[in-house]
Amino acid sequence: MRASIASVRGVLNKRCAAVVSSVGFTALFTGCASNAPQDTWQPKGPNAELIDDLQQPVFAVAGVIGLIVASAVIYTMIKYRDRGQPIPEQIHGKPALEVTLTIIPALILAVVAVFTFGAIFKLAKTDDTEMIINVTGQQWWWEYDYPVQNEFGINQPIITSGQLVMPIGTKVLLRETSRDVIHSYWIPALNGKRDAVPGRVHTLRLEADEPGIYAGQCTEFCGLSHANMRMEAVALSKEDFAKWVANQQAPYVAPAVGTLAKQGEEVFLNQCVRCHQVNGLTRADGTPAIAAPDENVWSGAAPNLSHLMTRNTFAGAMFDLLSKRCRDEVWNAPSDMVGARYLEGVTEECLNQKDLRAWLRNAPEVKPMYANPANLLVSNGKYRGMPYLALSEDDIGKLVAYLITLK
Amino acid sequence: MAIIERPTPAAPVVVTPTETYGLLKRPVSSTGWRSWVFTIDHKKLGIMYAVTAMFFFIVGGIEALLIRLQLAAPNGKVLNADLYNQMFTMHATTMVFLFIMPMAAGFANYFLPLQIGARDVAFPRLNAFGFWSLLFGGIFLNLAWFLGGAADGGWFMYAPNSGPVFSPSNGVNFWALGLQIAGIASLTSAINLIITVLNMRAPGMSLMKMPIFTWMITVVQFLLLFAVPVITVALFLLMFQRNFGARFFDVAAGADPLLWQHLFWIFGHPEVYILILPSFGIISEVLPVFSRKPLFGYPFVVFSGAAIGFVGWGVWAHHMFASGLGPVSVAVFSVATMAIAVPTGVKIINWTLTMWGGKLWFTTAMKFAIGLIVLFTVGGLSGVTHSIAPSDTQQTDTYYIVAHFHYVLFGGSVLGIFAGFYYWWPKVFGKMLSEKLGSWNFWLMIIGLNLTFGPMHILGLQGQPRRMYQWTEARAGEGFFNLAFWNSVASIGSFILAIGILIFLINVWVTSRNPQRAPLDPWDARSLEWMTSNPPKEHNFDVIPTVHHLDEFFHRKYEEDEATHTMKQITTAEDLIAEQERNADRHIHMPSPSYWPIVLAFGLPVIAFGLIYSYLIAVVGGVIVLFAAFGWALESSTAPESDFENPNSSAELVKHD
């Protein structure tokens, strides 16, 4: 009876076992042709390439070892299935064989270790850094702060969010920290991830070979809207980057008196400026309007909205400022055209009105945040994320008209 | 032998206390619910551990299915962000602390004393207390669902996201306190089992003649002994942070949030081996039995298990390669992690060589064991790819990691546990599980788990991070085989997996109604736990066996043919066990049941409730604990003879005289 169970069903089962058990690995190799924006196997810069060059042989060797083990098991199952043979000699082992089989994997790993060591220290190198960007995470968006670096035309600090803009062929050092919980900065095409930890400054080096937009995502669980905390790194040619820098430093242009946008500026001054800074914005009496997010938000910061329409995203890169069609034109542009298209910014016809209006209407509804005033006892009444502002449709229309002028 | 003795009519009473200092007499029921609630029998407690673990397996499984439903399509609407965060936190917490660990404890409790030829564990009442702590801790943890929301910080509960501002519900309080209570079970059973193994082995059983399952469990108990205090410290800090305004992880007060990560992973990495080694032990029993050969390289398997136990303490920071430790630490932990792959590889090689040259019998238990070898290898190899620290910075916190540890934990731990179910079921319940349903069970689980976790490799390598309540099509890529496709495959797979597990439950139900008893030795097994009746008597063995061999039971049944070196059967299990019954020990003293373990354990969640809601309740809980501790200390060491209404086991002994 025992023999029959084994022999009839045995052979059949083993074949299936082979197929099923190798699903993980075969699917892994065939499934990588779909061009996902965060694909870790498509490096676009030297740091990511270094990682890729290190990991590809390891994946290959691991795959081969996996197949050897699976084949050995299946071969054993077929060869030694119960065919009525006598109970075999009770062998307790062959030490020489086992020592050999222990040393072989140890040697393979020793070789891997040598290359790993080299890569770890190469990736940690910072002394030939060409440009510095301070990156600060908070629930649930990233702030990019470009300190003064005259060689790049940055004569006054630039503070932005939504997209990290950087020149190609330049060793850019991110100095990361956080204002609340731990976040993690990750642009797979340019490098691995590095956590942004409150109270610490961690460094991560990015360098892009070609102009383009590279997607990323916060990868340390950071609370309610962790899934909506995205990043985009925009790599521009050095000339285009200089244009971007010049535009970021351009003075504020107030909307013309009597326009809808001017009314929008008033709404902004009444409502938004409590948290959101627009550099150069002044109140009716001529005093500069200075945002005080530290009084209203737990992390103490809210995105600086100067030159908002030079960015393609808002709300922690959860939503696009560009309509789908215009966005595709930038993302799918050939690499020599990316810069020009990106620098066009968001024009009136390209503005994604739907998401922007929904956001202004009720932000916590479209992006989960702790913004219900009734539940803010533990945070001393401070919000985590943008609250519901009860703006009228009228005010929303004015605000949109104003925001579109922030070029 | 247990220190507490119960008199038998056949023998003069050894210990007869004339006076009871405790408030209550010791319970004596050997049937009905009392016999379970007040039991201190390691076998009953083992079953109770396993039933509890199975219950939480189903709870955690439902949580997993809800997660997969939510992620089956982009912008899932099944759960909102808050509920999703609670769901994945509790799924992991439940599966790790309330399913795999207690299930391993169940197997350990039941089989470790049997495998070493002992009649119980060293401290039976402590054993019962451990079980009740686990059960009450687990229930307490899950009560948070009904009291304002469960913990939502992930099972790793990184500071400062676990602080009161970032997690304002009581969920994390329930989590921290519930795990401390459940942790008591791990710590007490670790001490208990280590002492049992060191002191109560049958005569002749040297450490290197000990069954491999017992060896692996012993290594795990040492890991627990040193790892549980670390997480307890961390949980205490967290509790003080949340309930008493302490600032251990408060950056504004000068703290470094990485402190929590180090504490958590110094516990968390040995924990990984705590989860996997019991299953390694189980299949190291199953493979030799169904290959009809001893475990190949027994000393290598023992020492590689011990080596994993040691090196496992030096690899925790590989969970933190992206945390910003600096290149020197990263390099060291990277190499240590590669090193631990070697002893793990040794085990895979030894299991394969155990089957080599054997006479293989593909029962369901054997299939699960072979499934473990292959699927754990997949998980182990993906583990090697992230020991390469730079490549781990691309993989960590993506679905690639989710794929990896599910191949290790499901393809490893869970398949091992199911191998154990099918192998030992006749031993524990005296009934055979159906092999036919078992085959369905096995194949649906194997197909389901590969469909669920296989695509996660792809999802992760194509950049889908973990712990996202929704994923967006904007990042899913193009073509047919995009992330949307693989996400839906994973979700479909999870339901196939669930059906596989459901078939196991059906198998249990169907075969429990089958009146036919299992044979005494259905698998022609090798170790001592089979050298007694099915299920074993309360006192396990009529005669404590004297051990001469590893695989003692097998060598009593078989003799080597000098010429061919093949094995000849010389006697049957039935004859061996009948002979034992004829020569039964006359003086067997088993401990009486006790009320106090459950009472003492019940006080703990009451205290914990008090810490969250009102100190007055905590005082009540404290009084219960104190009262029970005194009751425990003062209770008579055995029940008076007159209390035994129906001394079943004693009657049996009389019969053998």
Side-chain angles (χ1 to χ4, degrees):
Chain A
M1 184 197 71
R2 285 171 189 179
S4 68
I5 296 173
S7 56
V8 177
R9 203 170 284 162
V11 181
L12 205 89
N13 287 353
K14 284 158 222 150
R15 300 271 153 75
C16 303
V19 174
V20 171
S21 63
S22 55
V23 158
F25 277 100
T26 50
L28 202 146
F29 290 111
T30 56
C32 287
S34 72
N35 219 9
Q38 287 169 197
D39 193 341
T40 61
W41 281 15
Q42 292 184 35
K44 301 284 192 220
N47 297 296
E49 270 153 21
L50 182 67
I51 294 173
D52 202 51
D53 291 346
L54 180 67
Q55 71 180 357
Q56 291 303 340
V58 177
F59 273 107
V61 172
V64 169
I65 294 176
L67 287 176
I68 292 172
V69 171
S71 317
V73 169
I74 291 159
Y75 179 75
T76 313
M77 285 168 72
I78 297 168
K79 186 166 160 99
Y80 294 104
R81 67 181 187 275
D82 187 347
R83 280 176 291 199
Q85 70 264 45
I87 292 179
E89 189 183 349
Q90 303 293 296
I91 301 164
H92 285 273
K94 290 196 177 72
L97 176 66
E98 298 199 53
V99 170
T100 316
L101 288 176
T102 310
I103 289 172
I104 290 171
L107 285 177
I108 295 174
L109 286 166
V111 173
V112 175
V114 169
F115 288 101
T116 302
F117 258 70
I120 289 170
F121 287 96
K122 263 187 214 158
L123 286 165
K125 202 167 171 214
T126 55
D127 54 5
D128 54 352
T129 295
E130 291 165 300
M131 182 179 187
I132 288 173
I133 305 174
N134 294 320
V135 176
T136 309
Q138 52 265 292
Q139 289 178 326
W140 290 271
W141 59 284
W142 295 94
E143 183 174 87
Y144 305 111
D145 161 9
Y146 297 70
V148 170
Q149 288 164 91
N150 290 318
E151 63 275 33
F152 291 98
I154 306 172
N155 307 314
Q156 63 192 66
I158 297 170
I159 297 175
T160 177
S161 64
Q163 283 173 319
L164 173 88
V165 182
M166 57 187 264
I168 59 163
T170 307
K171 297 180 173 63
V172 177
L173 187 75
L174 305 189
R175 294 197 300 206
E176 299 178 18
T177 189
S178 164
R179 292 194 173 99
D180 43 34
V181 301
I182 301 175
H183 304 274
S184 192
Y185 202 85
W186 187 40
I187 308 285
L190 302 183
N191 202 341
K193 55 187 74 71
R194 179 65 31 87
D195 289 1
V197 181
R200 296 170 69 105
V201 176
H202 292 154
T203 57
L204 177 69
R205 187 126 96 190
L206 300 186
E207 183 179 351
D209 291 334
E210 302 267 314
I213 303 184
Y214 304 107
Q217 167 84 44
C218 174
T219 40
E220 189 59 82
F221 177 65
C222 57
L224 215 48
S225 254
H226 168 60
N228 300 319
M229 188 169 171
R230 306 202 182 109
M231 317 56 134
E232 289 177 10
V234 182
L236 300 176
S237 68
K238 290 189 176 158
E239 301 75 48
D240 285 339
F241 182 73
K243 286 184 202 162
W244 180 83
V245 167
N247 189 52
Q248 296 297 313
Q249 295 176 341
Y252 176 70
V253 183
V257 180
T259 56
L260 192 64
K262 190 69 187 173
Q263 296 176 30
E265 190 189 52
E266 234 165 85
V267 178
F268 192 89
L269 280 166
N270 285 335
Q271 292 281 358
C272 316
V273 92
R274 272 183 282 166
C275 294
H276 294 289
Q277 181 70 36
V278 170
N279 300 346
L281 175 64
T282 53
R283 295 185 191 280
D285 60 5
T287 55
I290 305 293
D294 48 320
E295 290 171 8
N296 301 298
V297 186
W298 182 264
S299 68
N304 184 317
L305 299 182
S306 312
H307 307 286
L308 175 66
M309 292 297 151
T310 62
R311 311 170 196 164
N312 294 352
T313 71
F314 70 101
M318 179 182 182
F319 298 110
D320 291 307
L321 269 175
L322 286 170
S323 63
K324 173 96 172 66
R325 183 181 56 80
C326 297
R327 178 186 182 273
D328 286 349
E329 275 177 18
V330 183
W331 277 71
N332 300 338
S335 105
D336 55 337
M337 292 292 292
V338 169
R341 297 236 173 114
Y342 183 72
L343 290 175
E344 278 172 30
V346 183
T347 57
E348 197 136 11
E349 49 287 3
C350 274
L351 181 67
N352 174 7
Q353 296 252 0
K354 184 174 152 282
D355 286 338
L356 185 57
R357 280 170 185 271
W359 178 255
L360 294 171
R361 202 169 289 130
N362 190 350
E365 193 182 77
V366 290
K367 180 178 182 179
M369 294 180 281
Y370 284 96
N372 181 353
N375 295 337
L376 299 179
L377 205 65
V378 280
S379 53
N380 303 327
K382 290 180 179 172
Y383 302 111
R384 290 194 282 134
M386 183 155 135
Y388 169 57
L389 294 168
L391 295 173
S392 68
E393 285 305 307
D394 208 29
D395 282 349
I396 292 172
K398 290 174 189 170
L399 265 177
V400 171
Y402 170 65
L403 293 174
I404 195 78
T405 69
L406 297 175
K407 298 214 192 270
Chain B
M1 260 285 282
I3 51 167
I4 304 151
E5 302 185 334
R6 190 180 105 186
T8 64
V13 174
V14 180
V15 180
T16 320
T18 52
E19 209 175 336
T20 289
Y21 296 98
L23 288 163
L24 299 167
K25 290 178 173 180
R26 293 192 74 133
V28 293
S29 315
S30 56
T31 56
W33 63 273
R34 283 189 192 80
S35 71
W36 290 89
V37 172
F38 306 123
T39 187
I40 53 173
D41 177 7
H42 73 98
K43 295 183 291 300
K44 280 186 171 155
L45 287 167
I47 294 170
M48 286 152 80
Y49 263 115
V51 169
T52 304
M54 205 62 202
F55 169 75
F56 284 117
F57 183 39
I58 293 165
V59 171
I62 291 168
E63 286 159 0
L65 292 179
L66 286 170
I67 288 170
R68 273 330 306 174
L69 269 183
Q70 166 80 358
L71 297 179
N75 308 314
K77 295 273 184 287
V78 179
L79 306 167
N80 63 29
D82 190 23
L83 208 49
Y84 182 84
N85 293 346
Q86 296 174 36
M87 208 56 80
F88 76 71
T89 303
M90 291 303 289
H91 164 68
T93 304
T94 304
M95 289 306 196
V96 167
F97 292 102
L98 304 179
F99 163 52
I100 300 184
M101 285 173 75
M103 190 58 87
F107 277 108
N109 249 295
Y110 201 102
F111 295 109
L112 186 139
L114 282 166
Q115 284 203 325
I116 60 173
R119 290 206 160 116
D120 207 319
V121 292
F123 305 116
R125 286 187 298 180
L126 194 64
N127 203 16
F129 171 65
F131 166 73
W132 293 110
S133 302
L134 169 89
L135 180 64
F136 293 149
I139 292 171
F140 182 82
L141 251 175
N142 279 284
L143 277 180
W145 285 112
F146 310 104
L147 296 170
D152 57 359
W155 88 289
F156 51 96
M157 209 54 76
Y158 274 6
N161 196 39
S162 58
V165 171
F166 300 108
S167 183
S169 79
N170 274 328
V172 177
N173 297 338
F174 275 95
W175 186 84
L177 291 160
L179 286 185
Q180 288 183 50
I181 297 171
I184 292 172
S186 300
L187 201 56
T188 52
S189 76
I191 294 166
N192 207 344
L193 292 179
I194 289 170
I195 292 173
T196 306
V197 164
L198 293 184
N199 290 317
M200 293 166 66
R201 277 168 289 131
M205 184 180 278
S206 62
L207 285 174
M208 291 310 279
K209 286 197 185 109
M210 212 158 71
I212 192 74
F213 171 76
T214 296
W215 248 116
M216 292 302 114
I217 291 295
T218 308
V219 172
V220 167
Q221 304 314 312
F222 276 102
L223 285 171
L224 281 169
L225 187 62
F226 296 114
V228 172
V230 181
I231 189 70
T232 306
V233 166
L235 292 170
F236 256 83
L237 300 186
L238 178 62
M239 181 180 84
F240 271 78
Q241 175 110 356
R242 291 185 60 96
N243 298 34
F244 305 109
R247 308 182 78 179
F248 297 109
F249 309 110
D250 188 345
V251 178
D256 187 341
L258 291 194
L259 169 66
W260 171 271
Q261 295 190 14
H262 283 292
L263 284 175
F264 185 82
W265 291 118
I266 290 173
F267 151 79
H269 202 81
E271 172 70 16
V272 172
Y273 299 105
I274 291 167
L275 298 175
I276 190 65
L277 287 177
S279 286
F280 282 3
I282 291 172
I283 75 152
S284 301
E285 297 287 337
V286 169
L287 287 166
V289 167
F290 297 109
S291 302
R292 331 300 305 274
K293 263 179 81 212
L295 184 64
F296 192 87
Y298 169 89
F300 279 81
V301 178
V302 167
F303 285 117
S304 66
I308 289 171
F310 277 106
V311 185
W313 291 95
V315 298
W316 79 87
H318 71 210
H319 297 268
M320 302 164 63
F321 282 158
S323 295
L325 297 176
V328 176
S329 316
V330 166
V332 169
F333 280 97
S334 189
V335 168
T337 306
M338 289 176 202
I340 207 164
V342 175
T344 316
V346 166
K347 287 200 187 305
I348 303 273
I349 290 165
N350 278 291
W351 290 326
T352 312
L353 289 175
T354 301
M355 300 198 318
W356 185 266
K359 176 178 157 75
L360 305 182
W361 180 15
F362 297 108
T363 59
T364 305
M366 182 68 163
K367 286 183 204 159
F368 274 109
I370 296 172
L372 184 149
I373 299 179
V374 176
L375 295 183
F376 180 83
T377 304
V378 175
L381 289 169
S382 61
V384 172
T385 65
H386 31 249
S387 73
I388 321 295
S391 98
D392 183 65
T393 61
Q394 289 284 24
Q395 296 154 2
T396 188
D397 282 315
T398 71
Y399 267 84
Y400 187 75
I401 301 285
V402 181
H404 157 70
F405 69 72
H406 278 98
Y407 267 86
V408 171
L409 291 181
F410 215 112
S413 303
V414 178
L415 291 190
I417 284 167
F418 273 79
F421 285 155
Y422 280 89
Y423 175 56
W424 277 317
W425 201 267
K427 170 59 32 195
V428 178
F429 298 105
K431 297 274 177 75
M432 303 292 287
L433 283 174
S434 155
E435 283 290 307
K436 196 174 164 201
L437 282 171
S439 196
W440 280 98
N441 177 192
F442 171 74
W443 285 111
L444 285 170
M445 270 176 75
I446 291 291
I447 292 166
L449 95 84
N450 280 293
L451 282 183
T452 310
F453 307 121
M456 289 183 185
H457 290 111
I458 302 163
L459 289 172
L461 290 176
Q462 296 205 8
Q464 181 171 323
R466 304 165 67 181
R467 303 171 185 131
M468 296 203 306
Y469 77 104
Q470 286 178 338
W471 52 272
T472 167
E473 271 185 313
R475 301 285 164 95
E478 301 139 17
F480 184 69
F481 292 106
N482 60 10
L483 299 195
F485 172 78
W486 293 116
N487 268 303
S488 50
V489 169
S491 294
I492 293 166
S494 66
F495 281 86
I496 297 176
L497 185 52
I499 293 168
I501 291 158
L502 190 65
I503 287 182
F504 171 73
L505 298 176
I506 292 171
N507 197 350
V508 169
W509 184 71
V510 168
T511 51
S512 71
R513 296 159 59 88
N514 179 358
Q516 202 186 337
R517 304 290 305 169
L520 270 180
D521 183 20
W523 314 123
D524 199 5
R526 310 175 72 86
S527 43
L528 282 187
E529 77 270 25
W530 292 98
M531 211 164 79
T532 178
S533 57
N534 291 345
K537 296 166 186 165
E538 195 197 344
H539 54 267
N540 292 354
F541 298 97
D542 288 324
V543 183
I544 298 292
T546 301
V547 175
H548 303 283
H549 297 275
L550 179 68
D551 297 334
E552 175 68 20
F553 184 42
F554 181 82
H555 285 282
R556 291 198 187 190
K557 292 184 290 184
Y558 288 89
E559 212 167 55
E560 194 177 55
D561 184 306
E562 294 291 330
T564 62
H565 295 295
T566 54
M567 301 301 287
K568 269 193 330 210
Q569 185 150 15
I570 46 171
T571 180
T572 63
E574 285 77 4
D575 290 344
L576 276 173
I577 293 164
E579 189 195 323
Q580 280 204 335
E581 290 195 351
R582 279 193 300 279
N583 302 320
D585 287 344
R586 288 173 133 240
H587 301 192
I588 297 174
H589 307 292
M590 296 307 291
S592 302
S594 173
Y595 294 117
W596 298 112
I598 185 172
V599 179
L600 183 51
F602 178 73
L604 300 173
V606 178
I607 295 177
F609 256 112
L611 291 180
I612 296 173
Y613 293 107
S614 152
Y615 293 144
L616 202 64
I617 305 174
V619 171
V620 172
V623 169
I624 295 174
V625 166
L626 251 166
F627 175 73
F630 272 100
W632 182 317
L634 293 177
E635 97 182 316
S636 59
S637 59
T638 182
E641 206 176 329
S642 56
D643 283 0
F644 290 90
E645 292 157 16
N646 181 17
N648 278 331
S649 54
S650 310
E652 256 171 50
L653 287 176
V654 176
K655 192 180 71 195
H656 298 312
D657 269 358

